[in-house]
Amino acid sequence: MMVTGNREASRLQTLYVVNDILKQVVAEGLDIDAVLPRVLHISLEELGAFSASIIILNERQKPEHAWYWHDGLLEVHDGPFLEKVVEEGLFAEAIRDTVPIIIDDTRSDDRWIPNEELADSHEPWSVIC
């Protein structure tokens, strides 16, 4: 019971940190390109995830900002693969249907679009979208 309580407290603290960062963005007009990658990294660490992405769409549902954390590195997402994910993939369904989606194993879900540029993109991954 104590481990669960500590884990929940840690996650709650993470939410407070993210909330403070977002308040700072509003209050001080901080640059989205500086702030959202920080929020993404905090979330990645809290979840103990291997990688994480964040994609910001404009009013036409086209990517305006996109970042990807993996192997301790931050990359700016762009190009044809990002367009495909936004238009056809799991992300597209979550946006279109405005529902969260959780997948235990990406190998068993046809909506998952593996990134051929990543050597381990065909390994089993869990996804929250």
Side-chain angles (χ1 to χ4, degrees), residues 101-117:
I101 299 172
I102 300 173
I103 297 175
D104 293 329
D105 185 342
T106 55
R107 295 175 302 176
S108 63
D109 195 300
D110 293 336
R111 299 170 295 180
W112 180 251
I113 301 172
N115 185 343
E116 301 302 331
E117 294 179 14

